[in-house]
Each structure stands twice: as structure tokens, then as C-alpha cells.
Amino acid sequence: MKQNKLIIAAGTGFLGQVLVNHFKNKFEEIVILTRGKSETRNNIKYVHWDAKTLTGWETELEKADVLINLAGKSVDCRYTDENKAAILASRIDSTAILNLAVLSCTNPPKHWLNSSTATIYRHSEDKQMTEENGEIGDDFSMNVAKAWEQTFFEVPTKNTLKTALRTSIVLGKKGGAFIPLKRLTQIGFGGKNGSGNQFVSFIHEDDFARAIEFIVEKEMIGTVNVIAPNPVRNKDFMKQLRKEIGIPFGIPLSKTLLKFGAKIIKTEPELVLKSRNVIPKRLLDNGFEFNLGTIEKTLKNLLS
């Protein structure tokens, strides 16, 4: 059955496009809130917003079936004071203004799914983190995630269901982390990163979009780990990537080298060194079936 209206806030990036491709034949109308100009393209309506203030875009939320908010400055940058402030503000401001927008609607969205992150859990090489028993840590990234979810949930929206999507690395053909990882491996740097023992939690872009649809269908609320069920150690992830690409060897990158390299390409080593050992318990308990739930299947598909 076709639903009526889908709104994607900040939907012009990689994940937004994954969702548009998945949902384009499942909704009568798709509206993207964007910092770009207002226009209609390929039957999709783009509406300008600044993700901070109500300037008229909020009327688009009326009678929406689903609102998905993907807003947030990329964490693929150096954690300078200025970037840290922007990372936090971009998540808090957009979520806070959407709370106001939803409350201002006569017919608010039925279900609002807000981005969050699996980085909310502590570095773990031992324990698997589920929604129920996951241990939430205390550093810059984890505190951003906590503030983000708090801003989302602290405002009651009695006519709108709310779900925070604790997502990790989404692997896709046209964007995200997969492309630089593939390039590194092709030029011979596809060895383990650091000790290689840290876990990588990932999800294939198709399963990501299917999981979002499932969460809406099942009216799942609260926090959901949107992640494949089989996290793998970094050394095994890189080994599988080399195998699928057909590169027999890969130079390992030590912690020191990664820190040096991260400075040059203006990013943070945490992005590859943190162990995200996260399990999608609620999705599995509700009966969601992953099509590409292992790293082997995921990489085979992306490189086919």
C-alpha cells in the first residue's frame, strides 16, 4: 500500500539518496528539506530550510506519514573546538527546531525517525552492545550522541511516534566510507588499522533502507540499533575487502601512522580505531531479516 507523504530533513547526501531510491515508489509525495534552493526535481519537492528556525518550511510537515531527520555535520573532520561546536550544534539545533515544527502542526507526522549513532556505546572489544544492555560511555562523541537523543526525546509529541536510529557505518556503492576504504586497499594500504582487534559495526545500504521501512511498519519507538547482526574485527574486515578486490597484500597502518595520516587528510583516527561491537537486538527480536547481514555478502554485493 502506498503511503501518502515522506519528509526527509537533510536528504540530499548519501543516506538521503539511499532512502529516496528505496521509497520513491512507496510514497505519493516525497519532500526533502535542504539548505539548497527550493525546487521540484524528478517528482521530488526540495524545500529550503536552515535547520535552526521556522521560516515556512514547517507547513510541509502537515499530514506527513513519516519524517526522517538526517541532519548533522559530518564527523569526518579534525576535532578542533570550532568543528566540535558545529558537530554538536548541527544535531541539537535541527532536532530542537523539528520538535517545535511538529508541535506547531494541526496534523503532525505520524512517525518521526531521528538519526543517532552507535558511537553512543563505549569502545568494546569484549561485550556486545544491545539497546537494552549497551554501556554508554563518556567522551566527546558519546556526549554528543547523548545530548542529541535527549533533545529528541525530552519534548513530548503525543501524536507523533519517535524513534532514534543508532546507526553505524552504512556501506554503499556511491558514498560513505566504502569508497575511500576501497581506494586505500587498491593502492596497497588495505592492511589492518592499529591492532586490528577493534570491531567494525556496519550495515549495507539496502538493509539500512529496508530496516527503516520495517521500523515504520512495526511502529517501533525508542532507540533502535540499525546495524548488521555480525560485527567483524577490523583485521578480518580488511582481509575480506582485499580478497573481494583481488589484492593479495595490504600494508598495515599502525596507530602512530594513522594519527599522522589523519592529520594530513583532516580527520580523526577514532573513526577507524574505536571498537563498535553493536548488535541489532530489537530488529532481530521483531523479526527483521537482513538480506546482506555478513561482511562477505555485503562486500561481494558492493563490488559486483
Side-chain angles (χ1 to χ4, degrees):
M1 186 188 90
K2 256 198 180 183
Q3 297 226 58
N4 185 25
K5 189 178 191 182
L6 168 66
I7 313 270
I8 306 177
T12 56
F14 161 57
L15 282 188
Q17 293 315 293
V18 167
L19 294 178
V20 166
N21 288 333
H22 181 80
F23 285 117
K24 62 187 178 209
N25 299 319
K26 300 184 181 202
F27 283 86
E28 300 289 344
E29 185 183 2
I30 294 180
V31 178
I32 306 257
L33 300 180
T34 171
R35 289 176 184 275
K37 61 177 186 189
S38 297
E39 59 179 332
T40 300
R41 230 176 36 242
N42 305 326
N43 289 339
I44 291 167
K45 187 175 179 183
Y46 293 82
V47 176
H48 176 77
W49 77 324
D50 66 359
K52 281 192 289 224
T53 47
L54 300 175
T55 52
W57 55 264
E58 62 276 9
T59 58
E60 293 294 340
L61 272 53
E62 290 287 351
K63 295 187 178 172
D65 293 286
V66 181
L67 163 64
I68 301 171
N69 176 28
L70 302 172
K73 174 180 164 57
S74 169
V75 292
D76 186 6
C77 61
R78 292 299 286 172
Y79 288 174
T80 60
D81 287 346
E82 189 184 350
N83 281 340
K84 279 180 166 181
I87 286 169
L88 179 63
S90 62
R91 286 159 175 72
I92 301 299
D93 293 349
S94 59
T95 304
I97 201 65
L98 282 168
N99 265 323
L100 279 181
V102 166
L103 291 175
S104 75
C105 287
T106 311
N107 295 289
K110 291 175 191 160
H111 197 158
W112 172 9
L113 298 89
N114 209 57
S115 289
S116 180
T117 173
T119 298
I120 199 164
Y121 304 111
R122 69 165 171 84
H123 175 101
S124 173
E125 290 177 28
D126 53 344
K127 176 180 170 173
Q128 294 190 325
M129 303 290 172
T130 66
E131 295 91 345
E132 204 177 333
N133 74 3
E135 292 167 19
I136 291 175
D138 179 21
D139 68 4
F140 167 68
S141 298
M142 295 181 242
N143 292 337
V144 166
K146 285 187 276 191
W148 197 3
E149 288 190 5
Q150 186 187 341
T151 302
F152 179 49
F153 287 120
E154 73 187 356
V155 177
T157 51
K158 67 176 194 296
N159 298 315
T160 302
L161 303 175
K162 279 182 165 173
T163 313
L165 308 168
R166 290 181 175 171
T167 308
S168 186
I169 300 164
V170 181
L171 296 172
K173 288 185 181 178
K174 292 183 180 168
F178 179 66
I179 293 168
L181 282 171
K182 182 170 85 170
R183 282 198 199 116
L184 270 179
T185 305
Q186 285 167 333
I187 60 170
F189 288 96
K192 65 181 184 181
N193 302 144
S195 72
N197 289 327
Q198 70 275 28
F199 280 96
V200 180
S201 282
F202 65 91
I203 188 168
H204 187 286
E205 58 185 349
D206 293 351
D207 278 341
F208 171 74
R210 288 178 57 249
I212 301 294
E213 185 176 5
F214 182 86
I215 288 164
V216 171
E217 277 174 8
K218 294 279 184 187
E219 298 188 342
M220 294 172 68
I221 57 171
T223 56
V224 181
N225 294 339
V226 183
I227 241 155
N230 300 292
V232 285
R233 293 195 186 269
N234 170 274
K235 59 188 175 192
D236 300 323
F237 181 103
M238 297 311 293
K239 184 180 176 184
Q240 191 67 35
L241 185 55
R242 292 195 306 273
K243 183 183 164 189
E244 294 303 334
I245 290 175
I247 301 273
F249 69 91
I251 297 166
L253 298 173
S254 68
K255 210 172 187 175
T256 311
L257 200 56
L258 276 169
K259 284 182 175 169
F260 176 69
K263 267 192 180 144
I264 292 172
I265 61 168
K266 295 189 165 53
T267 188
E268 284 292 327
E270 172 193 81
L271 299 179
V272 290
L273 293 176
K274 176 162 181 177
S275 186
R276 297 173 182 82
N277 190 3
V278 184
I279 303 294
K281 186 171 187 299
R282 290 193 63 203
L283 280 173
L284 295 171
D285 287 352
N286 278 274
F288 181 71
E289 291 179 9
F290 289 82
N291 287 341
L292 298 154
T294 64
I295 199 60
E296 292 83 1
K297 283 184 182 171
T298 293
L299 293 177
K300 267 192 171 62
N301 173 278
L302 292 176
L303 290 159
S304 63

